[in-house]
Amino acid sequence: MKKNHLGEKVLVIGIILLVVGTGTFPSTGQSTQSKEMQGTFRDSPLPVEWNRTYPRPLGNSGGNCIQVTPDGGSVIAGFAGWGAWYSFYLLKVDPQGNEQWNRTFESGYTQANWVEVTNDNGYIITGKGCKWIEEEQEWVADIWVIKTDVNGYEEWNWTRLTLYPDYGTCVKQISDGGYIINDIANSNNNYNFSLLKLDAFGTLLWEKTYENKWGFSLVITPDDGFIISGLSEQALLLMKTDENGTMEWEQEFFHDIWPDCRGNDVHVTPDGGYIVGGSTSTYSTSDLLLLKTNESGVEQWHQTYGFSGTDWGTSVALLDNGDYILGGTHLGLQGVAPDRFWLIRTNCNGNVIWSQFYLPLYDARCYCIQQTLDDSVIASGAIDVSTGATCVILKLRNQTGNQPPYAPSNPNPSDGVTDVEVNTTLSWIDSDPNPQDVLAYDVYFGMNSTPPKLVSNQSDWTFDPGTLQYSTTYYWRIVVWDDPGASTVGPLWSFTTGGEENHPPNIPSSPSPADGYLGASIDVNLIWTGDDPDPGDTVTYDVYFGLENPPDIIHHNQTAMSYNPGTLEYSTMYYWRIVAWDLFGHTAVGPVWTFTTIQAPNQPPATPAITGPAEGKPNTAYIYTITGTDPDNADVVSAYVIWGDDTITDWTEFHASGESFTLTHSWAEKGEYLVRVKIKDNHGAESNWTILDVIMPRNLERINPFLLWFFERFNHAFPSLHHLFWYKNPIFSYL
């Protein structure tokens, strides 16, 4: 089978018939059936309203498919890249062809073949992806499907790994929100195609495969089935399936006339039949083709259009009056004559009304053509194909009379938005299919769904409604007029203003302990004052607390204006801060406050120790060592000593806790003496007494221990007995 792939350039040596000056070309095809011409036809081509090219900073681009978008603009799918690396290319333009955005999706040597506008105003794209097959050590083409939002950002994509090349040629969204995709494959030189059903989220639900056929174009029929045009055993294929992909019938055309014939585009006609645009091919020439069938795929007529050489038919548009516009390319001789961007308008029987090469200054090809919202035609393709490629779009002007303006779009505030400022300004975007028309606007605005007209005949795209009410829904509409008097009523939009202006919470204040306070309890509660200037606002607090400045957060989202940090350390400086939040996310950050806790409470010293001789001789000096300790290690201690002989060592100098120091004492007379010692710390707290029994040798009767206790306990009682025993025992002299 001869494979005349779209996009290949065939070199033809021959004479190219050009009608110099007019740029128009006659039909060379013949009708198989003679039909009476219908409708009103022109004998001159539609003039160009505008054409735009979209060069890439690096590499090439082309528009394989174009679709009209609800805003009157267009979306184009194709390729962008250079060398052996190409990407899916998605381009959005406004009604005047000005680029609004473009997106690329990379997967090796890839290109997008088809794009459709989806129910959510996003886009579904299919084409050829590319995967590296490790076993084969080569790149293999695989079908790739991408769903985007209205701004062209990917929402999901679907592909699958096969060991043979396959790619998507067409995709349509069906009534359940899912998608049907035409996927052609070539496995070991056996070609086939499949219908793939994906759900709305890109999950494959079913697949039906048809052997020895390629499907290039797909449309949904009135019974929710599918009609596919393509190629079958070198014949043009037209095949009908039900909604589940089960074949109902197929027809093959022209296999006995041309060795290669294919249907590249198909549409349902108003009579329930089908119109197919495509190409015929011999071994040296090819022509553009139109084929018309009835609802069962039985041919009613066909027409071919071409010159000696190579001509491709790639796309057909069905106009509202029953005419057809066939788009294609007349291939020139490389280096001798350029390729030609060719459009042919016919009546409902395929008879030529006009034929025109457009973009005469370029080496250009036409890949896709569509009818626009203003009943004109827009086409996409590429220019400078022989030296690279640049995406091009051509818009023709409808000369049937004045067209009404496009509906206003892009409202600001956006439709349905909430929390709008009460001092907002309304704005919108609009244009007219007749560029020379001057537009004026009526503004309808109010608080119900039938807003009154506030302004007439203004030229600006903005309107200031003044200060609005809080928490109120407003409705608005724009009616646009052109100067010939045609008008378009825009959609009804709405928005809701926000509540009264929210203020941030009050800055936390009045800290307790006060900022810089000294002597705070180690069990202190942190207390502050907060609140919010907006009645009804709930305020929560984050507590920051610690030993460093700034402190770390230790508790958040509490409603109480107090916090217990637990038992703190004595004599320690702490840092703290409060951050207040309201329900609207506004904050008030308090200052960093400090306080210092009290010193630890003083404890009295322990009972001191005294060591030294317990016996001795009168009038001899003896050294005694005293050791005093204090549980508060930072404290110092002083000693008080009663020697038992009417002498006292008053408070000594202070010594460190645990430090031993010495005192010297002598007794003048023989006897038994009780030495009593106590200590105090630098805070004045005193210890218990320590007693050391010291004997200066003498023949004295030892006092009864009971009497000793008695006189110690009752120091001032019984003075006569006290005197008597003191006289005999000077040990009582200390009492």
Side-chain angles (χ1 to χ4, degrees):
M1 180 186 73
K2 178 185 174 185
K3 297 181 180 177
N4 183 15
H5 291 298
L6 186 63
E8 294 175 350
K9 192 162 186 179
V10 179
L11 300 181
V12 179
I13 300 176
I15 299 175
I16 302 176
L17 302 178
L18 301 178
V19 180
V20 179
T22 65
T24 60
F25 298 82
S27 168
T28 60
Q30 295 182 353
S31 173
T32 58
Q33 297 185 26
S34 175
K35 293 288 184 181
E36 182 180 354
M37 296 177 64
Q38 302 174 9
T40 301
F41 308 115
R42 303 183 184 90
D43 58 4
S44 60
L46 290 177
V48 175
E49 182 173 318
W50 53 259
N51 67 80
R52 304 276 189 272
T53 58
Y54 306 89
R56 302 282 296 172
L58 294 174
N60 308 320
S61 63
N64 290 337
C65 179
I66 188 168
Q67 299 289 350
V68 177
T69 53
D71 61 359
S74 301
V75 64
I76 299 89
F79 59 88
W82 62 93
W85 189 271
Y86 278 81
S87 303
F88 269 33
Y89 179 48
L90 190 64
L91 170 67
K92 177 68 176 66
V93 301
D94 67 14
Q96 284 72 48
N98 300 305
E99 179 174 337
Q100 295 175 297
W101 49 258
N102 74 80
R103 310 281 182 253
T104 56
F105 308 89
E106 296 184 355
S107 178
Y109 189 79
T110 67
Q111 66 174 340
N113 292 324
W114 199 264
V115 62
E116 286 280 325
V117 181
T118 54
N119 296 338
D120 60 359
N121 290 327
Y123 307 104
I124 189 77
I125 319 162
T126 191
K128 179 180 72 172
C130 203
K131 289 189 176 67
W132 176 256
I133 305 300
E134 190 66 31
E135 296 84 352
E136 304 294 332
Q137 288 292 296
E138 65 178 1
W139 292 93
V140 173
D142 275 308
I143 183 173
W144 200 13
V145 182
I146 298 177
K147 171 67 174 68
T148 79
D149 64 13
V150 68
N151 295 310
Y153 292 109
E154 180 180 323
E155 294 180 340
W156 54 259
N157 75 81
W158 179 87
T159 187
R160 61 178 176 181
L161 181 62
T162 58
L163 297 179
Y164 50 84
D166 70 323
Y167 53 92
T169 60
C170 191
V171 58
K172 301 287 182 179
Q173 187 169 34
I174 55 181
S175 58
D176 64 2
Y179 304 95
I180 194 78
I181 299 108
N182 210 8
D183 175 32
I184 66 174
N186 186 350
S187 175
N188 297 323
N189 295 320
N190 295 320
Y191 63 97
N192 56 64
F193 83 95
S194 299
L195 289 182
L196 309 177
K197 171 66 184 301
L198 304 185
D199 68 12
F201 305 101
T203 300
L204 179 64
L205 300 181
W206 54 257
E207 175 180 4
K208 296 292 177 65
T209 300
Y210 313 93
E211 299 292 337
N212 299 319
K213 300 174 180 62
W214 272 359
F216 297 140
S217 181
L218 163 75
V219 294
I220 302 170
T221 54
D223 61 356
D224 291 328
F226 310 109
I227 191 78
I228 302 102
S229 67
L231 173 68
S232 175
E233 295 291 348
Q234 299 180 317
L236 187 149
L237 170 70
L238 191 64
M239 187 179 87
K240 174 70 170 61
T241 77
D242 65 12
E243 62 183 359
N244 297 311
T246 301
M247 184 189 298
E248 295 180 344
W249 52 259
E250 67 173 323
Q251 299 283 5
E252 295 181 358
F253 301 90
F254 314 129
H255 55 81
D256 55 345
I257 302 177
W258 297 290
D260 193 345
C261 187
R262 60 188 62 196
N264 292 323
D265 196 12
V266 63
H267 295 272
V268 180
T269 54
D271 62 0
Y274 307 103
I275 187 73
V276 181
S279 300
T280 69
S281 179
T282 66
Y283 295 106
S284 59
T285 64
S286 60
D287 293 323
L288 282 68
L289 168 71
L290 275 181
L291 166 68
K292 176 66 173 67
T293 78
N294 65 12
E295 68 276 7
S296 300
V298 176
E299 179 182 348
Q300 294 176 309
W301 56 260
H302 76 267
Q303 291 275 17
T304 60
Y305 316 88
F307 302 89
S308 59
T310 302
D311 303 303
W312 292 331
T314 53
S315 182
V316 61
L318 174 61
L319 303 184
D320 288 342
N321 69 347
D323 290 355
Y324 306 113
I325 293 188
L326 180 62
T329 301
H330 172 73
L331 260 65
L333 293 176
Q334 188 171 15
V336 177
D339 296 344
R340 293 299 188 182
F341 194 109
W342 192 6
L343 300 181
I344 303 170
R345 182 167 184 169
T346 79
N347 67 4
C348 61
N349 296 313
N351 299 312
V352 174
I353 297 174
W354 53 256
S355 172
Q356 177 74 32
F357 286 169
Y358 287 92
L359 306 174
L361 299 180
Y362 296 101
D363 179 22
R365 296 181 183 181
C366 175
Y367 295 150
C368 188
I369 185 169
Q370 298 287 349
Q371 185 178 12
T372 59
L373 298 180
D374 60 355
D375 296 325
S376 186
V377 172
I378 195 165
S380 66
I383 63 170
D384 299 331
V385 179
S386 61
T387 58
T390 298
C391 181
V392 65
I393 302 176
L394 174 73
K395 173 69 171 11
L396 303 185
R397 180 179 301 163
N398 190 329
Q399 293 183 314
T400 59
N402 180 62
Q403 299 297 312
Y406 295 118
S409 62
N410 295 75
N412 182 40
S414 300
D415 186 30
V417 71
T418 59
D419 201 27
V420 174
E421 296 288 340
V422 295
N423 293 311
T424 191
T425 297
L426 312 182
S427 66
W428 59 93
I429 293 176
D430 193 34
S431 61
D432 193 283
N434 308 111
Q436 71 278 6
D437 285 358
V438 177
L439 302 181
Y441 304 95
D442 297 343
V443 180
Y444 293 75
F445 183 84
M447 290 187 287
N448 59 57
S449 58
T450 56
K453 181 165 65 174
L454 300 187
V455 174
S456 297
N457 201 36
Q458 75 164 45
S459 58
D460 291 339
W461 288 357
T462 63
F463 174 71
D464 184 358
T467 301
L468 306 178
Q469 298 180 21
Y470 291 108
S471 303
T472 302
T473 298
Y474 289 91
Y475 299 86
W476 62 299
R477 185 195 304 275
I478 303 299
V479 177
V480 55
W481 297 80
D482 63 15
D483 48 342
S487 66
T488 300
V489 178
L492 181 67
W493 298 315
S494 68
F495 64 86
T496 302
T497 55
E500 292 191 33
E501 182 181 2
N502 179 259
H503 301 86
N506 297 328
I507 296 175
S509 61
S510 304
S512 176
D515 186 28
Y517 182 74
L518 301 177
S521 168
I522 61 172
D523 296 313
V524 68
N525 274 332
L526 308 181
I527 301 172
W528 61 92
T529 299
D531 212 349
D532 192 283
D534 300 314
D537 268 9
T538 299
V539 181
T540 59
Y541 302 95
D542 294 344
V543 180
Y544 293 73
F545 184 84
L547 299 174
E548 296 182 354
N549 186 15
D552 293 329
I553 188 170
I554 60 171
H555 197 257
H556 61 87
N557 204 34
Q558 70 169 53
T559 56
M561 289 185 286
S562 64
Y563 179 75
N564 185 351
T567 301
L568 307 179
E569 298 292 332
Y570 288 107
S571 303
T572 303
M573 177 180 285
Y574 290 92
Y575 299 87
W576 63 300
R577 159 182 278 161
I578 303 300
V579 176
W581 295 80
D582 66 14
L583 293 177
F584 297 90
H586 295 148
T587 65
V589 179
V592 175
W593 298 313
T594 67
F595 65 86
T596 302
T597 53
I598 60 172
Q599 295 180 346
N602 183 61
Q603 302 181 66
T607 302
I610 181 170
T611 59
E615 296 180 349
K617 298 178 181 180
N619 299 313
T620 301
Y622 295 98
I623 297 174
Y624 291 88
T625 300
I626 299 172
T627 304
T629 59
D630 192 285
D632 304 314
N633 290 327
D635 287 355
V636 292
V637 296
S638 172
Y640 184 90
V641 184
I642 299 175
W643 295 102
D645 59 356
D646 290 335
T647 61
I648 296 173
T649 298
D650 207 347
W651 297 107
T652 66
E653 64 181 5
F654 283 99
H655 297 272
S657 174
E659 178 186 349
S660 297
F661 57 93
T662 60
L663 295 175
T664 301
H665 190 72
S666 64
W667 286 266
E669 298 179 2
K670 295 180 179 181
E672 184 174 3
Y673 301 93
L674 291 181
V675 179
R676 292 169 58 88
V677 181
K678 66 179 178 180
I679 60 175
K680 69 176 180 180
D681 61 19
N682 50 301
H683 301 287
E686 297 183 3
S687 70
N688 294 325
W689 291 96
T690 294
I691 298 176
L692 176 66
D693 191 2
V694 178
I695 299 174
M696 295 292 107
R698 179 181 179 188
N699 292 328
L700 292 174
E701 182 180 350
R702 299 294 296 269
I703 189 168
N704 186 290
F706 171 75
L707 291 177
L708 178 61
W709 172 84
F710 180 82
F711 285 118
E712 286 180 336
R713 182 72 177 83
F714 304 101
N715 190 20
H716 300 289
F718 310 104
S720 297
L721 290 176
H722 186 279
H723 177 74
L724 175 63
F725 281 96
W726 175 86
Y727 179 78
K728 293 183 65 178
N729 293 282
I731 193 171
F732 291 108
S733 63
Y734 74 91
L735 297 175

